[in-house]
Amino acid sequence: MRPERGEQRVRTWGRRLLPWLRWGTVTLLLSLLALDLAFPPQLPTREDASVLVVARDGTPLRAFADADGVWRHPATPASVSPYYLQALLGYEDRWFRRHPGVNPPAMARAAWQWARGGRIVSGGSTLTMQVARILDPQPARGRTLRGKLVQLLRALQLEAHLSKDEILTLYLTRAPFGGTIEGVEAASWAYLGKPAARLSRAEAALLAVLPQAPSRLRPDRAPGAARAARDKVLERMVALGTWTRADVDDAKIEPVVARSLRPPLHAALLAQRLRAANPGQARIVSTIDVGLQRMLEQRVASYFSQLPERTSAALLVVDNASLEALAYVGSVEFGDRARLGHVDMVRAWRSPGSTLKPFLYGMALDDGLIHSASLLVDAPQSFGGYRPGNFDAAFNGPVAAADALRLSLNVPAVDLLDRVGPARFAARLDNAGVTLRFPRGAVPNLSLILGGTGATLEQLVGTHAALHRDGIAGRVRYTPDAAPRDRRLLSPGAAWIVREILESADRPGGRAGTFDTGDRPRVSWKTGTSYGYRDAWALGGTHRYTVGVWVGRPDGTPLPGQYGAITALPLLLETVDSLPRARGDGQRAPPPRNVREVEVCWPLGTAADAQEPALCQRRLDAWTLDGNVPPTFAERDARRWSAGRVRFDVDARSGRRLSADCDAPHPRASRAIARWPALVSPWLPAATRRAAQLPPLAPDCRPDGREAAGALHIEGLEDGVTLLRPPGSAHGVRLQLRALGSEGGVQWLLDGRWIGQTRGTQWLRHEFDTAGAHTLTALADDGAWRSVAFRVAQ
């Protein structure tokens, strides 16, 4: 009976204690909840996070410290090497996945050591407790019992709020590694120059032990101590059976070598831009190819090191297929105050110079206004009072559209823009992604094609890529998740013809094929220089890449003597030649079906097989679009004799021209001539001019009003004379000249270069100081002209 009484007594006491246990448990839980609410764990916020911008392969480009100046790169258990997780958990807390935040056996051992020695010998800390200490350091507590109790309670809090992986992520991101370096990813890049995902066993062991004493074990300062601590971890991994003895022996052979601590700084201005565009994002992945970026940053810095102070440069390389930026150099050297290196010139508004001309010619092709060999006039002209000149002040007379684009001639471009329409051209560019900027209150005008507007390098690169994307322009993308914005700018055929024109231009310093092994990529390139030498441009590309280069001064002051062809183009060509190549890069892409090569004739500009052989004075091969072979433009000035086919009757015996009113009957025969635009006459050979002139009227015929414009007479200089400098004079021969025979404006050209303008009988004063043979031409607005040849003696 006594056992029964004992069992009954136990049950009685159990019934009495159970309510107390229940209330005690509830009270404890409520107390813990109240403490948790009153003193919540100090979890990180976005505001105290640093930001890391990385290249497409994960290599850091630039790290931005947090508010305390700490460099911290995001890391997760999935983003680091398995070796590191094995070493960390095996050495620091192998029961991490099982305990509730504290390890009772380890705590008991630490308590026993404290009781025996009167001080804390081993902390018994778990990874969770270490995270609690990192988040709430409380330096005054040190290694005291009270400090350990606080860590214990904080660890329980963390385990209640976070998963194991979330706690581990906090450690991987915030563990101290010496100086202002926190987290294994930042430490791996800072000390080893590689991502934490590629750590070897030896490197993983080193970084696993480093947070225990980051100041004493820093590998850049104490490689010996760091190696001893690393080897201790390696031996622990053998003891645990995690790694084999052979693996550990191999790992011990690796030396402890650390780089000098320097934060990454590549594509610095792009990183700054992406950080501003993605607030609160700790890790930003860009599209940059880090190897290409480093190489081009060095090349730009070296290339422009000899330029004057305050000179900067920008370079942008994009992949044509995706329009992703592969390299972004916003200035010559970030941080160089003398060169204003903090100003991002990739997105600065600047005058584009002549870089918009390819799209004007493409639009003219799509409109059926021209083909590639259309006869354009490069001579002094007035467009509603606007008189453009060429960069070198020289004129070429009759010029093919392809040559006008390759030579970047200004007068033909303004002529085309006047026919296409400045407002329409600007609207088409705006739709394609180039929003031109004009002064307040201004509207698109003819000067925009010569740089009288504003654009950015990134806009121009996205638009020039259209020449290699079947006419589709787009916005350059800097992150893989950026939404594409593609818009049609030109038809595929027009894009192909313009690209073919630009690709056929000889590289500076040599002709096509010279020292060429055949694998050099075909490059379509276009340069530009803004008014006053403020901006030098080069835009170009291959079928795989488009490259843009800008050179100038960010403050807008002139850079005399520096222009696109000599300053920006060499860097562009060097960059293109350094890009990865593929088979077929040097081959011309086949033309679209609606592009056909046709033989045309000047001066009419139409197909050679569609006109009489006698009217074909010069034959050229032309690329045509959609079967259109448009004729040469008619003269703008009604006072000039318009270009085109002119039919007339002649006396069959004498060849004299017959009008409708002749005194005597004549045997009539029909004839035709092809007339050239009047303004190109000074550049034509004498035989060509004679072939394009009407024969004189028969003596008994009344005038028919078809005579050519009258010739001018130059007063003050005779044909064939030699000019001598005055004895003892330090200057050249000074003359006063005037053109007689026109009441309108007269342009004066010396050896094809514009030297001045007069009206009516006004005098032109000029000093002839260059020895040798010269030609002086006076060209009136109505097409009348006169040239005299002379010499200036030595």
Side-chain angles (χ1 to χ4, degrees):
M1 295 296 294
R2 287 181 180 178
E4 295 177 356
R5 288 180 181 177
E7 291 176 2
Q8 184 177 2
R9 188 175 300 171
V10 169
R11 286 195 294 270
T12 301
W13 278 102
R15 286 194 296 270
R16 292 177 179 177
L17 290 175
L18 185 60
W20 290 99
L21 290 174
R22 288 173 179 172
W23 279 108
T25 302
V26 171
T27 302
L28 177 62
L29 292 175
L30 290 175
S31 299
L32 292 175
L33 179 61
L35 287 173
D36 184 65
L37 294 174
F39 305 99
Q42 298 181 8
L43 297 178
T45 62
R46 287 186 174 182
E47 287 73 17
D48 66 358
S50 59
V51 178
L52 178 66
V53 180
V54 301
R56 64 196 306 125
D57 65 351
T59 302
L61 295 175
R62 185 180 180 185
F64 296 88
D66 66 5
D68 297 324
V70 174
W71 302 96
R72 187 185 304 116
H73 300 179
T76 65
S79 70
V80 302
S81 167
Y83 294 146
Y84 178 75
L85 294 179
Q86 292 168 1
L88 175 66
L89 297 179
Y91 190 72
E92 290 285 351
D93 190 356
R94 57 196 177 104
W95 305 109
F96 172 72
R97 294 289 181 182
R98 301 180 183 179
H99 61 62
V102 295
N103 188 339
M107 294 294 296
R109 183 183 70 249
W112 172 251
Q113 292 172 340
W114 172 73
R116 288 185 60 186
R119 61 186 180 87
I120 294 177
V121 177
S122 64
S125 294
T126 63
L127 274 182
T128 309
M129 293 175 67
Q130 293 183 46
V131 171
R133 183 175 68 249
I134 291 170
L135 297 180
D136 185 15
Q138 297 295 334
R141 295 174 185 163
R143 293 170 62 85
T144 64
L145 179 61
R146 179 172 177 269
K148 285 295 180 182
L149 291 175
V150 171
Q151 288 179 27
L152 188 149
L153 293 175
R154 288 297 192 190
L156 294 176
Q157 272 187 310
L158 291 175
E159 292 280 350
H161 284 272
L162 304 175
S163 68
K164 289 290 186 179
D165 279 346
E166 289 173 330
I167 295 171
L168 185 55
T169 296
L170 285 173
Y171 182 89
L172 296 177
T173 305
R174 293 179 173 267
F177 282 87
T180 57
I181 304 298
E182 287 190 2
V184 65
E185 189 70 31
S188 183
W189 281 108
Y191 294 119
L192 305 173
K194 64 194 307 185
R198 302 209 319 256
L199 294 175
S200 66
R201 287 184 173 87
E203 293 164 339
L206 173 65
L207 295 186
V209 74
L210 185 54
Q212 282 196 348
S215 298
R216 183 171 56 85
L217 299 178
R218 276 181 57 167
D220 60 325
R221 294 181 179 177
R227 181 165 192 158
R230 180 203 70 178
D231 291 349
K232 183 179 178 181
V233 176
L234 292 173
E235 289 298 330
R236 174 72 64 85
M237 301 309 293
V238 174
L240 294 174
T242 306
W243 296 344
T244 67
R245 168 56 63 185
D247 289 337
V248 167
D249 289 343
D250 289 341
K252 285 184 176 181
I253 297 174
E254 292 186 26
V256 173
V257 179
R259 309 185 315 165
S260 60
L261 296 186
R262 283 189 61 188
L265 198 62
H266 298 290
L269 290 169
L270 173 62
Q272 184 172 298
R273 177 178 179 179
L274 293 179
R275 179 196 183 199
N278 298 273
Q281 193 167 331
R283 187 174 187 270
I284 304 171
V285 180
S286 73
T287 61
I288 296 299
D289 181 319
V290 68
L292 180 64
Q293 178 71 28
R294 288 171 178 165
M295 183 265 290
L296 291 180
E297 284 180 346
Q298 294 173 358
R299 179 164 291 180
V300 168
S302 173
Y303 190 87
F304 293 108
S305 61
Q306 303 302 317
L307 287 182
E309 283 193 357
R310 305 198 324 276
T311 303
S312 189
L315 185 149
L316 185 63
V317 180
V318 303
D319 177 271
N320 289 334
S322 61
L323 282 187
E324 292 182 347
L326 303 179
Y328 185 115
V329 182
S331 64
V332 168
E333 187 172 353
F334 180 72
D336 187 338
R337 300 185 66 178
R339 296 186 182 274
L340 302 179
H342 64 285
V343 180
D344 187 354
M345 300 309 299
V346 168
R347 54 176 177 167
W349 291 92
R350 308 292 295 198
S351 165
S354 297
T355 57
L356 301 176
K357 288 177 181 176
F359 315 118
L360 172 62
Y361 282 79
M363 285 184 63
L365 283 163
D366 276 331
D367 289 348
L369 295 176
I370 62 171
H371 49 69
S372 68
S374 287
L375 192 163
L376 302 180
V377 177
D378 183 34
Q381 296 186 62
S382 175
F383 300 89
Y386 178 53
R387 288 187 174 275
N390 288 323
F391 181 75
D392 60 357
F395 294 93
N396 298 267
V399 62
D403 292 330
L405 176 56
R406 276 192 293 262
L407 297 173
S408 197
L409 301 179
N410 290 341
V411 176
V414 172
D415 187 7
L416 276 184
L417 182 60
D418 192 36
R419 299 173 191 274
V420 169
R424 178 169 169 260
F425 179 64
R428 179 77 70 86
L429 288 175
D430 182 70
N431 180 69
V434 180
T435 302
L436 301 178
R437 179 172 290 185
F438 296 93
R440 186 184 302 273
V443 297
N445 54 68
L446 295 178
S447 69
L448 77 84
I449 199 60
L450 307 184
T453 184
T456 67
L457 178 60
E458 63 184 352
Q459 289 179 339
L460 294 175
V461 168
T463 309
H464 272 262
L467 301 180
H468 300 272
R469 304 177 78 232
D470 290 332
I472 302 295
R475 180 171 52 196
V476 178
R477 302 167 61 214
Y478 300 113
T479 59
D481 58 352
R485 182 188 182 277
D486 293 342
R487 299 289 178 86
R488 178 163 295 284
L489 176 61
L490 303 173
S491 70
W496 188 94
I497 293 174
V498 172
R499 184 179 75 239
E500 175 65 20
I501 291 172
L502 297 179
E503 285 181 346
S504 62
D506 294 336
R507 291 192 178 204
R511 296 189 174 275
T514 304
F515 305 111
D516 194 346
T517 60
D519 62 346
R520 174 180 282 182
R522 288 171 59 88
V523 185
S524 64
W525 54 270
K526 181 73 188 72
T527 61
T529 306
S530 67
Y531 178 77
Y533 297 96
R534 288 173 171 82
D535 306 274
W537 299 89
L539 280 297
T542 67
H543 78 281
R544 299 178 65 192
Y545 308 102
T546 297
V547 180
V549 176
W550 172 89
V551 182
R553 284 176 168 160
D555 59 8
T557 54
L559 192 61
Q562 304 296 328
Y563 51 93
I566 68 165
T567 307
L569 180 59
L571 178 60
L572 179 140
L573 296 176
E574 285 185 19
T575 300
V576 170
D577 289 342
S578 66
L579 294 173
R581 299 184 186 181
R583 180 174 297 178
D585 280 357
Q587 305 299 316
R588 184 175 75 184
R593 287 187 173 184
N594 62 337
V595 174
R596 190 165 59 95
E597 193 170 25
V598 175
E599 186 180 51
V600 298
C601 285
W602 279 7
L604 298 182
T606 53
D609 58 7
Q611 56 183 278
E612 304 165 41
L615 303 182
C616 189
Q617 299 181 25
R618 191 178 302 177
R619 295 176 180 268
L620 300 91
D621 292 327
W623 292 108
T624 62
L625 184 63
D626 296 324
N628 293 324
V629 189
T632 300
F633 294 138
E635 298 273 14
R636 291 176 171 274
D637 195 326
R639 295 172 298 175
R640 304 179 195 142
W641 202 349
S642 297
R645 183 184 290 106
V646 179
R647 291 203 169 272
F648 53 90
D649 288 342
V650 298
D651 184 291
R653 292 188 297 265
S654 67
R656 295 284 185 124
R657 189 172 85 254
L658 301 176
S659 66
D661 186 9
C662 298
D663 293 339
H666 295 270
R668 290 181 176 263
S670 180
R671 297 286 186 270
I673 59 171
R675 298 300 305 268
W676 294 76
L679 289 179
V680 306
S681 297
W683 287 269
L684 296 177
T688 302
R689 290 199 300 269
R690 286 194 297 270
Q693 290 177 353
L694 289 169
L697 274 171
D700 62 326
C701 293
R702 306 292 184 274
D704 54 7
R706 305 175 78 175
E707 287 79 6
L712 296 179
H713 172 71
I714 296 178
E715 184 176 313
L717 183 63
E718 296 295 329
D719 190 46
V721 303
T722 298
L723 302 179
L724 301 176
R725 297 172 183 265
S729 174
H731 56 76
V733 181
R734 296 173 176 174
L735 297 180
Q736 287 194 123
L737 308 165
R738 65 176 176 177
L740 303 178
S742 175
E743 296 301 322
V746 176
Q747 309 298 317
W748 294 84
L749 309 174
L750 179 62
D751 300 327
R753 297 176 182 272
W754 186 88
I755 60 171
Q757 174 183 348
T758 59
R759 175 167 292 276
T761 58
Q762 286 180 339
W763 290 95
L764 173 74
R765 294 171 176 82
H766 187 76
E767 179 177 335
F768 300 90
D769 55 1
T770 303
H774 301 281
T775 300
L776 179 68
T777 301
L779 179 61
D781 289 344
D782 61 4
W785 65 282
R786 174 72 174 175
S787 289
V788 294
F790 65 98
R791 293 185 60 84
V792 176
Q794 292 281 356

Coordinates of all heavy atoms in Angstrom, one line a residue, residues 434-473:
V434 N 17.2 61.3 -79.1 CA 18.0 62.5 -79.0 C 17.2 63.7 -78.9 O 16.6 64.2 -79.9 CB 19.0 62.6 -80.3 CG1 19.9 63.8 -80.1 CG2 19.8 61.4 -80.4
T435 N 17.0 64.2 -77.7 CA 16.2 65.4 -77.4 C 17.1 66.6 -77.5 O 17.8 66.9 -76.5 CB 15.5 65.3 -76.1 OG1 14.6 64.1 -76.0 CG2 14.6 66.5 -75.8
L436 N 17.1 67.3 -78.6 CA 18.0 68.4 -78.8 C 17.6 69.6 -77.9 O 16.4 69.8 -77.7 CB 18.0 68.8 -80.3 CG 18.4 67.8 -81.3 CD1 18.2 68.3 -82.7 CD2 19.8 67.3 -81.1
R437 N 18.6 70.2 -77.4 CA 18.4 71.4 -76.5 C 18.7 72.7 -77.2 O 19.9 72.8 -77.8 CB 19.2 71.2 -75.2 CG 19.0 72.3 -74.3 CD 19.7 72.0 -72.9 NE 19.1 71.0 -72.2 CZ 19.4 70.6 -71.0 NH1 20.5 71.2 -70.4 NH2 18.7 69.6 -70.4
F438 N 17.8 73.6 -77.2 CA 18.0 74.9 -77.9 C 17.9 76.0 -76.8 O 17.4 75.8 -75.8 CB 16.9 75.1 -79.0 CG 17.0 74.1 -80.1 CD1 16.2 73.0 -80.1 CD2 17.8 74.4 -81.2 CE1 16.3 72.1 -81.1 CE2 17.9 73.5 -82.2 CZ 17.1 72.3 -82.2
P439 N 18.5 77.2 -77.2 CA 18.4 78.3 -76.2 C 16.9 78.6 -76.0 O 16.0 78.3 -76.8 CB 19.1 79.4 -77.0 CG 20.0 78.8 -77.9 CD 19.3 77.5 -78.3
R440 N 16.6 79.2 -74.8 CA 15.3 79.5 -74.5 C 14.6 80.4 -75.6 O 15.1 81.4 -76.0 CB 15.3 80.3 -73.1 CG 13.9 80.6 -72.6 CD 13.9 81.5 -71.3 NE 14.7 80.8 -70.3 CZ 14.3 80.0 -69.4 NH1 13.0 79.6 -69.5 NH2 15.0 79.4 -68.5
G441 N 13.4 79.9 -76.0 CA 12.7 80.7 -77.0 C 13.1 80.3 -78.4 O 12.4 80.8 -79.4
A442 N 14.1 79.6 -78.6 CA 14.6 79.2 -80.0 C 13.9 78.0 -80.5 O 13.4 77.2 -79.7 CB 16.1 79.0 -80.0
V443 N 13.8 77.9 -81.8 CA 13.2 76.7 -82.4 C 14.2 76.1 -83.4 O 15.2 76.7 -83.7 CB 11.9 77.1 -83.2 CG1 10.8 77.7 -82.3 CG2 12.3 78.1 -84.3
P444 N 14.0 74.8 -83.7 CA 14.9 74.2 -84.7 C 15.2 75.0 -85.9 O 14.2 75.5 -86.5 CB 14.3 72.8 -85.0 CG 13.4 72.6 -83.8 CD 12.9 73.9 -83.3
N445 N 16.4 75.2 -86.3 CA 16.8 76.0 -87.4 C 17.9 75.3 -88.2 O 18.4 74.2 -87.8 CB 17.1 77.4 -87.1 CG 18.2 77.4 -86.0 OD1 19.4 77.1 -86.3 ND2 17.9 77.9 -84.8
L446 N 18.4 75.9 -89.3 CA 19.3 75.3 -90.1 C 20.7 75.1 -89.4 O 21.5 74.2 -89.8 CB 19.5 76.1 -91.4 CG 18.3 76.2 -92.3 CD1 18.6 77.1 -93.5 CD2 17.9 74.8 -92.8
S447 N 21.0 75.9 -88.4 CA 22.3 75.8 -87.8 C 22.4 74.5 -87.0 O 23.5 74.1 -86.6 CB 22.5 77.0 -86.9 OG 21.7 77.0 -85.8
L448 N 21.3 73.8 -86.7 CA 21.4 72.6 -85.8 C 22.3 71.5 -86.4 O 22.9 70.8 -85.7 CB 20.0 72.1 -85.4 CG 19.2 71.3 -86.4 CD1 19.6 69.8 -86.4 CD2 17.7 71.4 -86.1
I449 N 22.3 71.4 -87.8 CA 23.1 70.4 -88.4 C 24.6 70.6 -88.3 O 25.4 69.7 -88.5 CB 22.6 70.2 -89.9 CG1 23.1 68.8 -90.4 CG2 23.2 71.3 -90.7 CD1 22.5 67.7 -89.6
L450 N 25.0 71.9 -88.0 CA 26.4 72.2 -87.8 C 26.7 72.3 -86.3 O 27.8 72.8 -86.0 CB 26.7 73.5 -88.5 CG 26.3 73.6 -90.0 CD1 26.8 74.9 -90.6 CD2 26.8 72.4 -90.7
G451 N 25.8 71.9 -85.4 CA 26.1 72.0 -84.0 C 25.4 73.1 -83.2 O 25.7 73.3 -82.1
G452 N 24.5 73.8 -83.9 CA 23.8 74.8 -83.2 C 22.7 74.3 -82.3 O 21.5 74.8 -82.4
T453 N 22.9 73.4 -81.5 CA 22.0 72.8 -80.6 C 22.8 72.0 -79.5 O 24.0 72.1 -79.4 CB 21.0 71.8 -81.3 OG1 20.1 71.3 -80.4 CG2 21.8 70.7 -81.9
G454 N 22.1 71.3 -78.6 CA 22.8 70.6 -77.5 C 22.3 69.1 -77.5 O 21.2 68.8 -77.8
A455 N 23.3 68.3 -77.3 CA 23.0 66.8 -77.1 C 24.0 66.2 -76.2 O 25.0 66.9 -75.8 CB 23.1 66.1 -78.5
T456 N 23.8 65.0 -75.8 CA 24.7 64.3 -74.9 C 25.4 63.1 -75.6 O 24.9 62.6 -76.6 CB 24.0 63.8 -73.6 OG1 23.1 62.7 -74.0 CG2 23.2 64.9 -73.0
L457 N 26.5 62.7 -75.1 CA 27.3 61.6 -75.7 C 26.5 60.3 -75.6 O 26.4 59.6 -76.6 CB 28.6 61.4 -74.9 CG 29.5 60.2 -75.4 CD1 29.9 60.4 -76.9 CD2 30.7 60.1 -74.5
E458 N 25.8 60.0 -74.5 CA 25.0 58.8 -74.5 C 23.9 58.8 -75.5 O 23.5 57.8 -76.0 CB 24.5 58.5 -73.1 CG 23.6 59.6 -72.5 CD 23.2 59.3 -71.1 OE1 23.6 58.2 -70.5 OE2 22.6 60.1 -70.4
Q459 N 23.3 60.0 -75.7 CA 22.2 60.0 -76.7 C 22.8 59.8 -78.1 O 22.2 59.0 -78.9 CB 21.5 61.4 -76.7 CG 20.7 61.7 -75.5 CD 20.1 63.1 -75.5 OE1 20.6 64.0 -76.2 NE2 19.0 63.3 -74.8
L460 N 23.9 60.4 -78.4 CA 24.5 60.2 -79.7 C 24.9 58.8 -80.0 O 24.8 58.2 -81.1 CB 25.7 61.2 -79.9 CG 25.3 62.6 -79.9 CD1 26.6 63.5 -80.0 CD2 24.4 63.0 -81.1
V461 N 25.5 58.1 -78.9 CA 25.9 56.7 -79.1 C 24.7 55.8 -79.3 O 24.7 54.9 -80.2 CB 26.7 56.2 -77.8 CG1 26.8 54.7 -77.8 CG2 28.0 56.9 -77.8
G462 N 23.6 56.0 -78.6 CA 22.4 55.2 -78.8 C 21.8 55.4 -80.2 O 21.2 54.5 -80.7
T463 N 22.0 56.6 -80.7 CA 21.5 56.9 -82.1 C 22.4 56.4 -83.2 O 21.9 55.8 -84.2 CB 21.3 58.4 -82.2 OG1 20.5 58.9 -81.1 CG2 20.5 58.7 -83.5
H464 N 23.7 56.6 -83.0 CA 24.7 56.0 -84.0 C 24.6 54.5 -84.1 O 24.9 53.9 -85.1 CB 26.1 56.5 -83.7 CG 26.4 57.8 -84.3 ND1 27.1 58.0 -85.5 CD2 26.1 59.1 -83.9 CE1 27.2 59.2 -85.8 NE2 26.6 60.0 -84.9
A465 N 24.2 53.9 -83.0 CA 24.0 52.4 -83.0 C 23.0 52.0 -84.1 O 23.0 50.9 -84.5 CB 23.7 51.9 -81.6
A466 N 22.1 52.9 -84.4 CA 21.0 52.6 -85.4 C 21.6 52.2 -86.7 O 21.0 51.4 -87.5 CB 20.1 53.8 -85.5
L467 N 22.8 52.7 -87.1 CA 23.4 52.4 -88.3 C 23.8 50.9 -88.4 O 24.0 50.3 -89.5 CB 24.7 53.2 -88.6 CG 24.4 54.7 -88.6 CD1 25.7 55.5 -88.8 CD2 23.4 55.1 -89.7
H468 N 23.9 50.2 -87.3 CA 24.3 48.8 -87.2 C 23.1 48.0 -86.7 O 23.3 46.8 -86.4 CB 25.5 48.6 -86.3 CG 26.7 49.4 -86.8 ND1 27.6 48.9 -87.7 CD2 27.2 50.6 -86.5 CE1 28.6 49.8 -88.0 NE2 28.3 50.8 -87.3
R469 N 22.0 48.6 -86.5 CA 20.8 47.9 -86.0 C 19.6 48.0 -86.9 O 18.5 48.2 -86.5 CB 20.5 48.4 -84.6 CG 21.6 48.3 -83.6 CD 21.2 48.9 -82.2 NE 20.4 48.0 -81.5 CZ 19.3 48.3 -80.9 NH1 18.8 49.5 -81.1 NH2 18.6 47.4 -80.2
D470 N 19.9 48.1 -88.2 CA 18.8 48.2 -89.2 C 18.0 49.4 -89.0 O 16.8 49.4 -89.3 CB 17.9 46.9 -89.2 CG 18.6 45.7 -89.8 OD1 19.6 45.9 -90.6 OD2 18.3 44.6 -89.4
G471 N 18.6 50.5 -88.6 CA 17.9 51.8 -88.4 C 17.2 52.0 -87.1 O 16.5 53.0 -86.9
I472 N 17.3 51.0 -86.2 CA 16.7 51.1 -84.9 C 17.6 51.8 -83.9 O 18.7 51.2 -83.5 CB 16.2 49.8 -84.3 CG1 15.3 49.1 -85.4 CG2 15.5 49.9 -83.0 CD1 14.0 49.8 -85.6
A473 N 17.3 53.0 -83.4 CA 18.0 53.6 -82.3 C 17.4 53.2 -81.0 O 16.4 52.6 -80.9 CB 18.0 55.1 -82.5

